[in-house]
């Protein structure tokens, strides 16, 4: 399956899932924990320009805005964005949302201090392209935050795609912290720092091994 076709199917899948997604999402069930972890990983309280790539229902975007940052976000699924917009409005948060795939979003090079990618790499046909786009969007010294997990450990709890679509996604089974560190280095980022130790246990059912990493633009 070609990357463009796979991406379209992925976006359509999440639009169908969107209405019920936040009812079981970790960032909702454990909102205060995620807020504390991201606040620590952002390192600093001054307002920064944040871009959330593949925002979904707005997990990172909502937290970043609640911490006082200026936030822009994109996603290819209109259904997920609708949920994110509703959540932002309900919380009185000013976030600029864009319906666009990561590679097509209008974020200018060198326009962000922080870029976030939470639970996105596993569901992309070209995950390295997303990391390189994040690198381009960041200002020199800017910070990329990446979070994901090895979802195949607890397959009964995960989202599932049709077999043909899943086979076209190189990280469909998820990824380890070691995988992510190698990918960040390949994309041009400096040494990564981990933050998942701030969770008392995995925030996902089935004790999925997960990570939260930050790395600076090299």
């Amino acid at each position: 399956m070609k990357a463009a076709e796979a991406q379209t199917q992925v976006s359509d899948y999440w639009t169908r899932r969107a209405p019920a997604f936040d009812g079981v999402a970790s960032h909702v069930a454990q909102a205060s924990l995620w807020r504390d972890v991201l606040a620590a990983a952002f390192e600093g309280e001054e307002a920064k320009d944040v871009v959330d790539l593949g925002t979904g229902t707005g997990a990172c975007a909502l937290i970043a805005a609640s911490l006082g940052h200026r936030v822009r976000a994109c996603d290819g699924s209109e259904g997920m964005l609708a949920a994110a917009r509703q959540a932002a409005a309900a919380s009185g948060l000013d976030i600029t949302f864009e319906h666009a795939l990561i590679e097509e979003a209008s974020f200018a090079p060198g326009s962000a201090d922080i870029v976030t990618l939470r639970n996105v790499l596993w569901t992309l046909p070209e995950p390295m392209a997303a990391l390189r786009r994040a690198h381009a969007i960041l200002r020199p010294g800017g910070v990329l935050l990446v979070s994901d997990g090895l979802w195949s450990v607890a397959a009964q709890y995960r989202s599932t795609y049709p077999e043909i679509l899943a086979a076209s996604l190189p990280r469909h089974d998820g990824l380890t912290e070691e995988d992510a560190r190698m990918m960040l280095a390949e994309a041009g980022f400096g040494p990564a720092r981990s933050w998942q130790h701030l969770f008392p246990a995995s925030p996902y059912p089935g004790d999925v091994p997960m990570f939260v990493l930050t790395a600076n633009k090299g």
Side-chain angles (χ1 to χ4, degrees):
M1 181 181 297
K2 293 183 179 179
E5 181 182 357
Q7 188 62 73
T8 296
Q9 290 192 23
V10 166
S11 296
D12 290 346
Y13 172 91
W14 288 111
T15 288
R16 293 192 297 272
R17 286 284 311 277
F21 182 77
D22 276 354
V24 296
S26 167
H27 68 268
V28 174
Q30 303 189 57
S32 61
L33 273 174
W34 277 104
R35 190 178 192 277
D36 290 346
V37 172
L38 264 63
F42 286 171
E43 295 189 87
E45 296 182 0
E46 69 276 13
K48 298 178 181 178
D49 294 315
V50 178
V51 167
D52 187 23
L53 299 176
T55 191
T57 57
C60 288
L62 293 166
I63 291 173
S66 74
L67 292 171
H69 299 297
R70 300 174 292 272
V71 183
R72 296 167 290 159
C74 74
D75 201 277
S77 165
E78 185 58 69
M80 297 295 268
L81 276 181
R85 291 188 180 102
Q86 183 177 10
S91 299
L93 298 173
D94 184 15
I95 301 171
T96 300
F97 291 105
E98 180 178 353
H99 180 212
L101 300 176
I102 290 172
E103 63 272 20
E104 297 172 354
S106 62
F107 310 126
S111 64
D113 303 303
I114 298 172
V115 171
T116 55
L117 277 162
R118 178 183 176 273
N119 296 352
V120 174
L121 295 179
W122 77 273
T123 194
L124 296 177
E126 296 177 330
M128 284 304 304
L131 291 177
R132 294 190 180 99
R133 182 76 204 279
H135 190 278
I137 293 169
L138 284 167
R139 298 181 175 116
V143 175
L144 172 65
L145 182 144
V146 176
S147 182
D148 224 300
L150 191 60
W151 311 112
S152 54
V153 167
Q156 69 272 31
Y157 297 113
R158 69 172 299 170
S159 301
T160 56
Y161 295 128
E163 185 176 350
I164 294 177
L165 176 57
S168 70
L169 306 176
R171 296 290 178 176
H172 179 258
D173 287 339
L175 57 161
T176 65
E177 178 181 345
E178 182 179 2
D179 294 331
R181 286 179 179 274
M182 290 189 294
M183 293 169 71
L184 288 169
E186 183 180 343
F189 290 93
R193 180 178 179 182
S194 63
W195 301 90
Q196 63 269 20
H197 62 278
L198 298 178
F199 289 102
S202 174
Y204 301 110
D207 293 325
V208 170
M210 56 84 69
F211 59 85
V212 180
L213 296 175
T214 55
N216 292 92
K217 178 173 180 174

